[in-house]
Coordinates of all heavy atoms in Angstrom, one line a residue:
C38 N -7.6 6.3 -6.0 CA -8.4 7.5 -6.5 C -9.3 7.1 -7.7 O -10.4 7.5 -7.7 CB -7.4 8.6 -6.9 SG -8.2 10.1 -7.4
Q39 N -8.8 6.3 -8.6 CA -9.6 5.8 -9.7 C -10.8 5.0 -9.3 O -11.9 5.2 -9.8 CB -8.7 5.0 -10.7 CG -9.4 4.6 -12.0 CD -9.9 5.9 -12.8 OE1 -9.3 6.9 -12.8 NE2 -11.1 5.8 -13.3
L41 N -12.4 5.3 -6.5 CA -13.3 6.2 -5.9 C -14.1 7.0 -6.9 O -15.3 7.2 -6.8 CB -12.6 7.2 -4.9 CG -12.0 6.6 -3.7 CD1 -11.1 7.6 -2.9 CD2 -13.1 6.1 -2.8
E46 N -19.1 7.9 -10.0 CA -19.8 7.8 -11.3 C -21.0 6.9 -11.2 O -22.1 7.2 -11.7 CB -18.9 7.5 -12.5 CG -17.9 8.6 -12.8 CD -16.9 8.2 -13.8 OE1 -17.0 7.1 -14.4 OE2 -15.9 9.0 -14.0
L48 N -22.7 5.9 -8.6 CA -23.7 6.5 -7.7 C -24.4 7.6 -8.4 O -25.6 7.8 -8.2 CB -23.1 6.9 -6.4 CG -22.7 5.8 -5.4 CD1 -21.9 6.4 -4.2 CD2 -23.9 5.1 -4.9
Q51 N -27.0 6.2 -10.6 CA -28.1 5.7 -9.9 C -29.0 6.8 -9.4 O -30.2 6.7 -9.4 CB -27.6 4.9 -8.7 CG -27.0 3.5 -9.0 CD -26.5 2.8 -7.8 OE1 -26.5 3.3 -6.7 NE2 -25.9 1.6 -8.1
K53 N -29.4 9.7 -10.8 CA -30.2 10.2 -12.0 C -31.4 9.3 -12.2 O -32.5 9.8 -12.5 CB -29.3 10.3 -13.2 CG -28.3 11.5 -13.1 CD -27.3 11.5 -14.3 CE -26.2 12.5 -14.1 NZ -25.2 12.5 -15.1
E56 N -34.0 9.9 -9.5 CA -34.7 11.2 -9.7 C -35.7 11.1 -10.9 O -36.8 11.7 -10.8 CB -33.6 12.3 -10.0 CG -32.9 12.7 -8.7 CD -31.7 13.7 -9.0 OE1 -31.3 13.8 -10.2 OE2 -31.2 14.3 -8.0
Y64 N -45.6 12.8 -11.1 CA -46.6 13.1 -12.2 C -47.9 12.3 -12.0 O -49.0 12.8 -12.1 CB -46.0 12.9 -13.6 CG -47.0 12.9 -14.7 CD1 -47.4 14.1 -15.2 CD2 -47.4 11.7 -15.3 CE1 -48.3 14.1 -16.3 CE2 -48.3 11.7 -16.3 CZ -48.8 12.9 -16.8 OH -49.7 12.9 -17.8
I66 N -48.9 10.7 -9.3 CA -49.6 11.1 -8.1 C -50.5 12.3 -8.3 O -51.6 12.4 -7.9 CB -48.6 11.4 -6.9 CG1 -47.9 10.1 -6.5 CG2 -49.2 12.1 -5.8 CD1 -46.7 10.3 -5.6
K68 N -51.8 13.3 -11.0 CA -53.0 13.0 -11.9 C -54.0 12.3 -11.0 O -55.2 12.5 -11.2 CB -52.6 12.1 -13.0 CG -51.7 12.8 -14.1 CD -52.6 13.9 -14.7 CE -51.8 14.6 -15.8 NZ -52.6 15.6 -16.4
W80 N -54.9 11.7 -18.7 CA -53.4 11.7 -19.0 C -53.1 12.6 -20.1 O -53.8 12.7 -21.1 CB -53.0 10.3 -19.3 CG -53.3 9.3 -18.2 CD1 -54.3 8.4 -18.1 CD2 -52.5 9.1 -17.0 NE1 -54.3 7.7 -16.9 CE2 -53.2 8.1 -16.2 CE3 -51.4 9.7 -16.4 CZ2 -52.7 7.7 -15.0 CZ3 -50.9 9.3 -15.2 CH2 -51.6 8.3 -14.5
D81 N -52.0 13.3 -20.0 CA -51.5 14.1 -21.1 C -51.0 13.2 -22.2 O -50.6 12.1 -22.0 CB -50.3 15.0 -20.6 CG -50.7 16.0 -19.5 OD1 -51.9 16.3 -19.4 OD2 -49.9 16.4 -18.8

Side-chain angles (χ1 to χ4, degrees):
C38 184
Q39 185 60 37
L41 292 171
E46 290 172 9
L48 286 172
Q51 289 176 2
K53 289 175 186 175
E56 288 172 344
Y64 170 77
I66 289 168
K68 291 298 183 177
W80 300 99
D81 297 336

